[in-house]
Amino acid sequence: MASMLNSENRDGKQHPYSAEDLDRIMTDKTRIFKKVRENWQKDRKMVLWDDRLSIWMSTKGTDLTRARKISVEDIEEVSLGTHSDIVWEKAKKKIAFQSDQAFTISFKLATRMAPLYLIAEDSQTARAWVEGLSRIRDRVSRMTSRQRHTWWLWEKFKAADKDGNGTLTKSEVKSFFNSINLSMNPANFEKLFKKYDDNKSNSLSWGNVKELYEELLIPNEVRNLYYQIAGEDETLQLCEFREFLEKYQFHKNLTDEKLKEMVRVFEPTATESNLEDPNFEIGLYGFAMYIRSAKVIDDSSYEKMQDMSRPMTDYWIASSHNTYLLDDQLTGPSSTEAYKSALLKGCRCVELDCWDGANGEPIIYHGWTRTSKISFKDVITTVRQYAFKKSDYPVCLSLENHCHIPQQQKMAKYMVEILGDLLLRAPVDPDEDCLPSPEAMKGKIWIKGKKLKEAAGDSKKNKAENDDFVVDDEVSEEDEGEGYAQGKDRDSPVGNGSIPAAEEAGNQKKQKKTKKIKLHKDLSDLVIYTQSRHLKDFDDAQQNSDYRHISSIDDKVCSSYAKNQSKIDSSNYNPIPVWAYGCQIVALNYQTACEEMLINQARFKQNQGAGYVLKPEFLREDALRNNNFDINDTSTFPRSQPFSYKIKIISGCQLPKPKQSNKGEVVDPYVKIRVVGPPVDDNPKNSRTTKFIDNNGFSPCWNEEFTLTTWFPELSMLEILVYDKDVGTKDDKLANSYLPMDSIVPGYRQIPLFDKEGGSLYPATLFFHIEISE
């Protein structure tokens, strides 16, 4: 087989490295790289793994036994040099290296992984890694499902072939089985080995193993389905396959050309000429390959662009809380890298927690904690660089302003000078009576924060001793809770050192009693829309607020409005019930790997990852003005009956071991499914669990059927979790998948599986049959 590192010279350029050179350099376990972050640099080892489809990087020091696996498929871009990135600019001031030793690996939106900034020992190594990863990504992007599977199998075969003679002995075949998570009793193993040892050499060639694997890959349930469709003659003709696609897989508008195009992809015997024969036969292997490619969510669901011309209030907006943090909220590091990462993941609303810094320079950090501090100016520079790399739609800078007047003025100055024409400085339409649309705000950055009241006409009440600031008698929710800088006697935490917890708590209690704040006019003038306003109650908001106002509610307060909402995780909360109650901006900690972020990620994968998702019609402004919709009252729902999802969990394929290890025992998998949504959908009746299958992660078969219901497929997600049954210890979670229920395609479907970060676990999948009815 061709090497994954071969260059096909598609760009017409001469490539300086052979596949052998790249393979030698990228698999060398002695080379040390320096991993760079904004505030530190640490030694790491990194190697291209045996499958040539993933890299392993040590997570602590240079010990590769403690390593993280990174799929090459999750890489968005690999670039050589330092460019104009802030991380590299700071690194140059701290360590000596040449620009051509440096390279950056950026990751796809779905992975939620921060970019890797790496310095190689020499320029040759850096160039080889950039070239090698680029070649692999190019080849993988053009592979069919069958080719990808064959390549994966070939690398497993090579890894099991310890002596490199091109054949596998019995012990090597057992090692091969273990690597693909398959356990077999001795009698069955001997029978299978004997069947494929066609030359009686007591070993299996690559061709033997490929045939053996193809037999194992086609589980009985797929065989049975094939023969059921084929009928008495046990051959599946093209016309019968078309009927299956239209009747059971719900393919619409299936033209002859589209049908032929599909068959050419998965049926090995298909040619241009024989596909003209209506009696052309599709073999069992080709049918199995089709089944493996039958996606539960069609790509068009993600690729379709929604109507972006409606008012901003009609959209959910991908939003980040404490964006500046890379880790723990009390002691973790703050970094501009966190803003870059969030923006590259499609986040459209980022938080800036601003405090007085030394030398008159405002800083950003989690106030009254031991998290590190970063420059406000550096953050604005990073936003300028990365705001529109992933999406052209508008970005909101949500300011939590704890600074005194002089540094507020400095904040305004930096935003005007650095953001330039990107910064929204005036209403989109002077005659508007509602928020503009994302389309109208395309390419703009707008500021969310406090706004002076001079325009309200009550100048006597609000006017201070000069025109630079006015005294405001209302404080937003975030200001009340975070110790806003309330006057000339209020000290900034910078310079005070650490504050004991008891004293801190006392300070904050006192701060909540103080209602007056000072706000510089220059900063106020930048707040056009989303002007922060304290939410007293909804009646007050209806009477005294307009479209330019916004109220911030923390998750605990929100749960008192959303009756049955409870916090699932200490770091993040389930965003679905909050979306269901009408909130547009539901800010989550993007740095936290958890189920709630995976839900958020699944939602904002829609609409081409624009960071804006159009709300269901019953939650939009026009509909809410004309109805009395209440998420807790079924009589106000847009339908009279819930949807029913009959789900048969048929089987699994190539499930991973805990922590994606290649070692350890074969897993005993089981599956949990649950509807995650508003309270009316998220209940015990909508949570089901299969039995566990003993010692089979390669092709476990459950054949268990459950029925779940949802009133709101537009809001709810189908949560799918795969566990390894353990005795005496907590069951290991192996994989997950979150599916927007209104995007699920009925029929026989493959469920893609992901790790806790949202990275693909291909080729691991589940096989479901789904029926949907109302």
Side-chain angles (χ1 to χ4, degrees), residues 568-743:
I568 298 173
D569 181 88
S570 61
S571 297
N572 270 324
Y573 51 92
N574 180 2
I576 296 178
V578 193
W579 286 327
Y581 278 87
C583 290
Q584 292 87 25
I585 297 176
V586 181
L588 300 183
N589 296 295
Y590 268 54
Q591 71 275 16
T592 303
C594 60
E595 293 169 1
E596 294 74 33
M597 262 310 299
L598 294 171
I599 291 171
N600 192 73
Q601 176 181 307
R603 175 62 65 206
F604 288 105
K605 190 176 179 181
Q606 296 175 306
N607 202 24
Q608 294 186 9
Y612 289 79
V613 171
L614 188 62
K615 293 179 184 178
E617 189 171 350
F618 57 83
L619 284 178
R620 297 177 203 166
E621 287 271 331
D622 292 345
L624 291 174
R625 288 195 192 99
N626 300 315
N627 65 32
N628 60 342
F629 174 73
D630 181 348
I631 196 71
N632 295 308
D633 183 355
T634 56
S635 68
T636 68
F637 289 0
R639 54 186 61 93
S640 59
Q641 295 290 332
F643 283 89
S644 173
Y645 286 67
K646 185 184 290 184
I647 299 172
K648 186 175 185 180
I649 302 175
I650 301 172
S651 61
C653 183
Q654 295 163 268
L655 303 181
K657 294 181 180 181
K659 299 180 181 178
Q660 301 177 54
S661 173
N662 286 324
K663 300 177 181 179
E665 297 179 349
V666 173
V667 297
D668 308 314
Y670 64 93
V671 180
K672 284 186 175 183
I673 58 173
R674 176 170 76 104
V675 176
V676 182
V680 69
D681 285 349
D682 199 339
N683 59 69
K685 292 182 179 179
N686 273 338
S687 179
R688 301 298 178 89
T689 304
T690 68
K691 60 181 179 290
F692 74 89
I693 304 299
D694 191 42
N695 275 346
N696 190 349
F698 180 79
S699 56
C701 182
W702 294 281
N703 273 323
E704 296 187 52
E705 190 170 274
F706 307 104
T707 298
L708 309 180
T709 61
T710 173
W711 285 91
F712 296 103
E714 308 93 332
L715 296 172
S716 294
M717 298 269 180
L718 179 62
E719 176 188 73
I720 303 167
L721 305 176
V722 184
Y723 286 89
D724 176 23
K725 183 68 175 176
D726 289 324
V727 178
T729 59
K730 185 179 179 181
D731 294 351
D732 292 303
K733 186 186 294 183
L734 303 178
N736 70 76
S737 194
Y738 287 87
L739 308 175
M741 297 192 75
D742 62 342
S743 298

